[in-house]
Amino acid sequence: MPSLDQALRAALDNRQSLLEALHQQGTDCYRLFHGSQEGAAGLTLDRYGPQLLVQSFHNSLSRNELLAAHELICSALSQPLLLVYNDRSRGNSRIDRSDSVYQAEEPALADCVGHEWGINYRVRGRHAGQDPLLFLDLRNARGWVKASSAGKSVLNLFAYTCGVGLSAAAGGAREVVNLDFAEGNLAVGRENGALNPGLAPMQFIQSDYFPAIRQLAGLPIAQRRGQKLPSYPRLAQRQFDLVFLDPPAWAKSAFGTVDLLRDYQSLLKPAILATADDGVLVCCNNLAKVALSDWRDQVLRCAAKLGRPVRDVQLLPPAADFPSLDDQPPLKTLILRF
Ligand SMILES: C[S@@+](CC[C@H](N)C(=O)[O-])C[C@H]1O[C@@H](n2cnc3c(N)ncnc32)[C@H](O)[C@@H]1O
């Protein structure tokens, strides 16, 4: 078993050419160490602009390990990155132990700006939610969206902090609609919009996925017997040129359950219907235990059953900062052209 220092050095070596390319294209947000595949399960080191975000999910890092890792990364990148350590190994306790090395300094906890494909993003090493504000394994997909959105109407479903919407706007989309039920996440999306004043403004719909997408798709909204549904924004039926569907693994609401293992169809079907006849749907499944080939078959079957057979399907893997030994990364992204 290599030491953490050896594993980190190997990870940095493996990323040399990727990091050069990313810096050249205006990206300073990327994964520097993907522990599950690179020799320390449950440990990740991510750069978010000026910050180095270290997260441990199984075992806490010792003071010396943390300081040595920080020093190694800063010297490899020739950048004095601000250290934020979120130890999520004990029931998600974001520890701030009394030793100052575990307490990030004031500037490290401040709101910062990171960059990806030349776009500005709000980054915060520690905030009320669990995940960092930008999912790094989706960078290639956002790059694809930026390169493929010129003149298109774009619908970004489960938008979170609207990174996909922003990429579409940066790519020259004529209209971008972000949909999510969490106002706090959309608020970061609005901040992201404000951080890129040169881009056309985006739209934001705060709604549960199920009533929103079913209205867009022209489908009825199912009501459970005897249960009154909460109110939801009314939307007219319509289609978009490019639809992006990246749901969480599991989430339950009054309107339905998002369950990527047992029921992808109920998410996918209305999303297909909300995609224009000659449009593109990008869909994701981030559940590691779902095999790509099974999920791909399911997706294609669902489209065929709806009378919307897929003309072309393309797999869009994450970049090399998310290596996978078995070539089966948890995040699977398919581009479906109708
Ligand atoms: C994993 S994130 C999606 C990542 C996002 N696509 C991105 O580009 O970063 C999950 C998002 O789904 C939203 N969400 C979960 N269940 C939802 C529902 N039923 N309706 C609308 N949004 C939902 C959450 O608020 C959260 O922002």
Side-chain angles (χ1 to χ4, degrees), residues 110-129:
D111 284 0
C112 296
V113 176
H115 307 88
E116 184 191 90
W117 302 103
I119 302 170
N120 301 327
Y121 285 94
R122 168 64 68 227
V123 294
R124 261 178 219 133
R126 212 172 281 165
H127 60 96

Side-chain angles (χ1 to χ4, degrees), residues 135 138 142 156-161 163-164 179-182 185 207-210 244 246-248 251 253 258 286:
F135 286 104
L138 207 63
R142 284 187 293 266
N156 180 21
L157 300 164
F158 299 95
Y160 188 45
T161 53
V164 167
L179 189 139
D180 200 287
F181 68 8
N185 295 344
S207 170
D208 192 281
Y209 176 73
F210 292 103
F244 199 100
D246 174 28
S253 75
V258 175
N286 61 27

Side-chain angles (χ1 to χ4, degrees), residues 7-196:
L8 287 175
R9 283 176 195 277
L12 286 166
D13 276 354
N14 291 339
R15 281 166 176 70
Q16 252 180 22
S17 58
L18 174 71
L19 296 188
E20 259 169 48
L22 291 175
H23 294 159
Q24 269 181 17
Q25 82 189 18
T27 294
D28 60 14
C29 298
Y30 39 74
R31 176 145 293 183
L32 287 157
F33 185 66
H34 190 49
S36 64
Q37 305 289 303
E38 299 188 283
L43 179 67
T44 59
L45 275 73
D46 294 321
R47 178 177 179 191
Y48 280 95
Q51 298 177 331
L52 173 66
L53 176 62
V54 178
Q55 302 205 84
S56 51
F57 296 84
H58 300 343
N59 302 307
S60 307
L61 283 187
S62 72
R63 180 180 206 283
N64 287 347
E65 286 172 321
L66 189 56
L67 287 176
H70 183 212
E71 199 178 311
L72 176 65
I73 301 285
C74 292
S75 103
L77 294 179
S78 310
Q79 289 274 343
L81 297 179
L82 300 160
L83 176 65
V84 180
Y85 175 42
N86 292 339
D87 182 11
R88 297 165 68 171
S89 61
R90 279 183 263 154
N92 281 330
S93 62
R94 228 72 60 79
I95 50 146
D96 243 353
R97 300 192 195 119
S98 50
D99 190 325
S100 62
V101 71
Y102 293 109
Q103 300 170 8
E105 291 171 13
E106 215 40 50
L109 296 179
D111 284 0
C112 296
V113 176
H115 307 88
E116 184 191 90
W117 302 103
I119 302 170
N120 301 327
Y121 285 94
R122 168 64 68 227
V123 294
R124 261 178 219 133
R126 212 172 281 165
H127 60 96
Q130 287 287 332
D131 297 304
L133 300 180
L134 187 67
F135 286 104
L136 300 176
D137 52 354
L138 207 63
R139 182 179 60 248
N140 271 355
R142 284 187 293 266
W144 184 91
V145 166
K146 182 168 180 256
S148 314
S149 294
K152 301 216 164 124
S153 58
V154 177
L155 175 63
N156 180 21
L157 300 164
F158 299 95
Y160 188 45
T161 53
C162 308
V164 167
L166 209 60
S167 305
R174 87 182 129 79
E175 180 187 15
V176 178
V177 177
N178 296 291
L179 189 139
D180 200 287
F181 68 8
E183 177 48 35
N185 295 344
L186 292 177
V188 179
R190 288 193 179 89
E191 265 185 86
N192 281 334
L195 287 171
N196 295 276

